[in-house]
Amino acid sequence: MNAKPDVRLPAVSVIMPVLNEERHLRGAVQAILAQEYAGEMEVVIALGPSTDRTDEIAAQLVAEDARVHTVPNPTGRTPAALNAAIKASRHPIVVRVDGHGMLSPNYIATAVRLLEETGAQNVGGIMHAEGENDWERAVAAAMTSKIGVGNAAFHTGGQAGPAETVYLGVFRREALERQDGYNVEFIRAQDWELNFRIREAGGLIWFSPELKVSYRPRPSVKALAKQYKDYGRWRHVVARYHQGSINLRYLAPPTAVCAIAAGLLVGALLTPIGFVVPGGYLAAIVAGSVPAGRGLPLKARLQIPVALATMHMSWGFGFLTSPKSLAKKVIASRRPAVLTES
């Protein structure tokens, strides 16, 4: 039996876009239902066309707890799933969680407090990567190191304050509805685009290291490469969508890809001096993996350079090969920010 909700606290809707998440879905939902939050809560799972046991597990969760509901997402696309879940939910605070994300026990209570204290429209925190085997531990170490992701606060931590975007997010429903939800053309980077519109309308996006979501890394080199290629591809779309949003951190991977390719070509065709560039990169990621891997098993530490190279090269390749036609399609779908009525 669940305790009677405290009506003095705002009710919360947790929305989850889910596709092929049989491995983590039950744990993610259990972490939500076990939150140290006394207010009313519901969980709305938007189900894409999974090819594993995700739908079966979701049905079990619905049968086990009346707070859990599902809604179909036939496209399988994340922004469409999020919009469907928002529409099917009903509470004034909306918490986004992925099917492989595990909320820390006081995540929702802390987020609700921060919304009240800061007046923000959206608050978010740290994407705390944690692995369950040696490869995933190596990826987690790479994803939480500055040599892996630069100075991104939601990966490596930082001071609380205003931000361009945050990981996942806890929103005021009014902000989501005012902006008409997520732009479905943004298959990736939909969080950035929505937060951009919220900020354009005068809303505040707030990052706080108090908020932490445990994240399960991709289980193979191939899956990690696809993830980071998509990140790079869509980051270039964002750069074309919003001029001035690019910085040196985003340019580092494509620059590295070009420099290494040129070095290998020069080394193979003209002079061995060309191999200095790829050799220097290899030495840098090996050296950088030493502090990143402190406390990990030897097998995990040995795989960190592989994870780093996969992330850097895939992100850079995706950025360089991102077609202008994709950016044009997204720009054509641009939604103007909807200002708050005075």
Side-chain angles (χ1 to χ4, degrees):
M1 292 283 293
N2 296 317
K4 189 174 181 179
D6 187 339
V7 296
R8 295 171 298 178
L9 294 171
V12 170
S13 296
V14 181
I15 58 172
M16 302 182 72
V18 169
L19 180 69
N20 293 326
E21 290 286 2
E22 67 173 4
R23 183 178 172 193
H24 300 300
L25 179 59
R26 176 169 287 278
V29 172
Q30 288 175 339
I32 296 166
L33 298 176
Q35 284 289 295
E36 298 169 358
Y37 185 68
E40 185 179 354
M41 183 168 58
E42 66 175 349
V43 181
V44 181
I45 305 171
L47 294 170
S50 296
T51 56
D52 61 8
R53 294 180 56 250
T54 295
D55 287 9
E56 177 186 340
I57 294 167
Q60 293 171 357
L61 291 165
V62 170
E64 292 165 6
D65 197 305
R67 293 173 291 175
V68 182
H69 315 280
T70 60
V71 64
N73 173 35
T75 70
R77 294 181 170 185
T78 299
L82 292 166
N83 285 345
I86 291 167
K87 185 176 180 180
S89 66
R90 56 197 173 91
H91 294 322
I93 305 297
V94 179
V95 180
R96 175 183 170 176
V97 183
D98 286 341
H100 47 271
M102 310 291 170
L103 299 186
S104 53
N106 63 347
Y107 182 89
I108 291 177
T110 302
V112 170
R113 172 176 60 80
L114 289 171
L115 284 172
E116 178 63 27
E117 289 177 354
T118 65
Q121 300 298 303
N122 179 21
V123 299
I126 294 175
M127 176 183 176
H128 184 64
E130 294 181 322
E132 296 180 323
N133 55 46
D134 287 327
W135 164 251
E136 292 179 1
R137 292 184 189 102
V139 176
M143 291 180 70
T144 54
S145 67
K146 290 191 175 180
I147 192 172
V149 294
N151 61 351
F154 70 81
H155 280 295
T156 60
Q159 296 294 318
E164 284 191 357
T165 190
V166 290
Y167 180 55
L168 301 179
V170 177
F171 298 84
R172 299 179 189 272
R173 175 178 293 277
E174 63 208 35
L176 293 173
E177 293 181 344
R178 187 179 303 121
Q179 301 305 329
D180 197 22
Y182 291 83
N183 185 334
V184 296
E185 295 297 339
F186 274 80
I187 308 305
R188 298 286 183 273
Q190 65 274 157
D191 296 307
W192 180 92
E193 193 277 337
L194 174 59
N195 285 319
F196 173 69
R197 279 185 283 131
I198 291 173
R199 288 187 292 109
E200 266 197 327
L204 174 65
I205 311 299
W206 188 267
F207 166 81
S208 173
E210 291 184 75
L211 297 172
K212 184 183 293 186
V213 181
S214 292
Y215 167 87
R216 302 295 187 242
R218 296 298 193 269
S220 67
V221 173
K222 181 179 179 181
L224 183 67
K226 182 182 185 305
Q227 177 188 18
Y228 271 78
K229 184 191 77 173
D230 288 345
Y231 283 171
R233 175 186 176 96
W234 281 90
R235 194 62 189 76
H236 204 161
V237 171
V238 167
R240 288 167 168 155
Y241 179 92
H242 177 45
Q243 293 183 359
S245 68
I246 203 70
N247 60 40
L248 292 177
R249 176 166 68 89
Y250 297 124
L251 293 176
T255 301
V257 169
C258 292
I260 289 169
L264 291 172
L265 192 63
V266 169
L269 299 179
L270 298 176
T271 171
I273 294 175
F275 292 123
V276 169
V277 176
Y281 171 77
L282 179 61
I285 61 173
V286 168
S289 70
V290 174
R294 284 197 183 103
L296 294 181
L298 177 61
K299 191 174 180 181
R301 282 183 279 146
L302 292 175
Q303 295 182 82
I304 294 174
V306 178
L308 287 169
T310 302
M311 291 161 56
H312 294 161
M313 296 300 102
S314 300
W315 203 103
F317 179 79
F319 188 94
L320 291 168
T321 58
S322 182
K324 288 185 178 180
S325 58
L326 179 59
K328 288 180 180 178
K329 180 181 179 182
V330 166
I331 291 169
S333 73
R334 187 191 295 267
R335 299 176 182 179
V338 180
L339 301 177
T340 305
E341 294 183 4
S342 55

